[in-house]
Amino acid sequence: MDLDQALNELFKLLKIPVLACIFFILKNIKPVSFFSANVVEQRLFSKEQLFGFKVIKHILNTLFWMIVLYPATFYLRGIIPGPNDLFSYVIVILGGIIWGVIVIINEGSFSKIKSSRLCKGIFVTVFMVCLILFYTQLYNFFIDSLLSEEFNLKILGISMLVLFLFTLPIPFILIPISKFIKWSNEQSVYIEDEKKQKWYILYSINKETVLLGNKHEQRLCSKTMIKRKEELYNTPIEMVKTDN
């Protein structure tokens, strides 16, 4: 099976799931009203809508990295070692070790490293260099395979889809990095009860009620409670920046 046939088969397999994903997004999310909503309004959307928002955000982040990596690959084509080179294994191992150390530091270990700007800068810089080199090698390998085939728009479209799938893990990989350098624009919202305890608004259960918890993420909560939305009227709502 040549590259053209393989890509055609992949496109056939992905066609239905992609269409289903688009249908789900359009059905459960009103894109204009959702993305123009402030953080408080977003927290009053349903669980399904919040999930859809995260999916769209992940897709946009993936497309951003494709836009960065694709021209970078063409620029570095002459100096990037081949994917079977020992260099590839070195950057994967080194990047993996640094990523693992960052995850451990985020859990509370090695607090001196996290408090040092120099150490954080070195760790993040080396990791990002490894990540970019690994992906430019991957892109370069795929582009070389693509250029060996007769060019047409169909091949180009399917190849972009394949590169998109290769790039999908990057936003997930960068979550610990974002937490490590405290680079996040996400916010949580909460109210305080009579005892000054914070209750974070998690999501709407239905049109009348909303779920609150004692942590900004449901998986971290040890306590939750349900309130009617009308009980939040005239209640001061605080906003706080949170890590990813």
Side-chain angles (χ1 to χ4, degrees):
M1 181 183 293
D2 59 22
L3 179 61
D4 190 20
Q5 291 176 321
L7 292 174
N8 276 325
E9 291 298 322
L10 179 61
F11 180 75
K12 290 177 182 178
L13 290 174
L14 293 174
K15 188 174 182 180
I16 294 177
V18 169
L19 292 175
C21 182
I22 294 173
F23 175 77
F24 168 82
I25 292 173
L26 294 178
K27 181 180 179 182
N28 291 280
I29 299 178
K30 298 177 180 178
V32 175
S33 61
F34 195 94
F35 285 100
S36 63
N38 62 37
V39 63
V40 177
E41 291 173 318
Q42 288 179 13
R43 284 298 177 175
L44 293 176
F45 280 111
S46 68
K47 192 174 185 178
E48 290 77 15
Q49 287 175 313
L50 290 173
F51 173 77
F53 175 70
K54 290 181 179 180
V55 170
I56 294 174
K57 183 179 179 181
H58 187 90
I59 291 174
L60 292 177
N61 284 335
T62 302
L63 292 174
F64 166 78
W65 277 102
M66 285 184 66
I67 294 171
V68 171
L69 291 170
Y70 201 81
T73 301
F74 277 100
Y75 180 76
L76 299 172
R77 276 173 64 82
I79 58 176
I80 300 174
N84 295 321
D85 196 274
L86 176 63
F87 182 73
S88 302
Y89 298 100
V90 172
I91 61 175
V92 169
I93 293 172
L94 178 60
I97 291 174
I98 294 176
W99 188 87
V101 171
I102 289 175
V103 170
I104 294 173
I105 293 173
N106 286 338
E107 295 298 322
S109 303
F110 308 113
S111 56
K112 289 184 178 180
I113 295 179
K114 194 169 185 178
S115 62
S116 170
R117 291 186 178 181
L118 177 61
C119 290
K120 288 168 68 173
I122 293 174
F123 271 58
V124 173
T125 300
V126 173
F127 174 80
M128 292 305 298
V129 169
C130 290
L131 180 72
I132 292 173
L133 286 176
F134 171 78
Y135 267 93
T136 50
Q137 281 191 320
L138 185 63
Y139 271 50
N140 191 40
F141 172 77
F142 190 81
I143 290 171
D144 285 342
S145 300
L146 178 64
L147 293 176
S148 66
E149 299 290 321
E150 183 179 351
F151 177 81
N152 58 64
L153 291 177
K154 185 177 181 181
I155 290 291
L156 178 63
I158 296 175
S159 65
M160 289 298 101
L161 177 60
V162 175
L163 286 178
F164 174 80
L165 294 176
F166 281 141
T167 314
L168 267 177
I170 291 183
F172 287 123
I173 293 172
L174 292 179
I175 289 175
I177 310 302
S178 178
K179 184 177 179 181
F180 184 62
I181 59 178
K182 297 181 179 180
W183 183 35
S184 170
N185 58 2
E186 292 190 3
Q187 291 181 310
S188 295
V189 296
Y190 65 88
I191 62 172
E192 291 185 346
D193 59 18
E194 297 81 3
K195 298 179 180 179
K196 298 298 181 181
Q197 181 178 349
K198 295 179 180 179
W199 289 97
Y200 291 86
I201 300 175
L202 301 176
Y203 57 83
S204 289
I205 298 174
N206 51 47
K207 292 181 179 179
E208 290 79 29
T209 58
V210 62
L211 181 69
L212 294 91
N214 61 339
K215 298 292 183 181
H216 69 276
E217 290 185 21
Q218 186 179 6
R219 63 184 178 84
L220 302 175
C221 293
S222 58
K223 295 179 182 179
T224 58
M225 69 174 176
I226 298 173
K227 270 187 176 290
R228 297 184 66 85
K229 288 184 179 178
E230 61 189 34
E231 295 181 58
L232 299 178
Y233 296 164
N234 298 322
T235 300
I237 297 177
E238 301 287 341
M239 292 176 284
V240 62
K241 188 174 180 180
T242 56
D243 292 324
N244 287 330

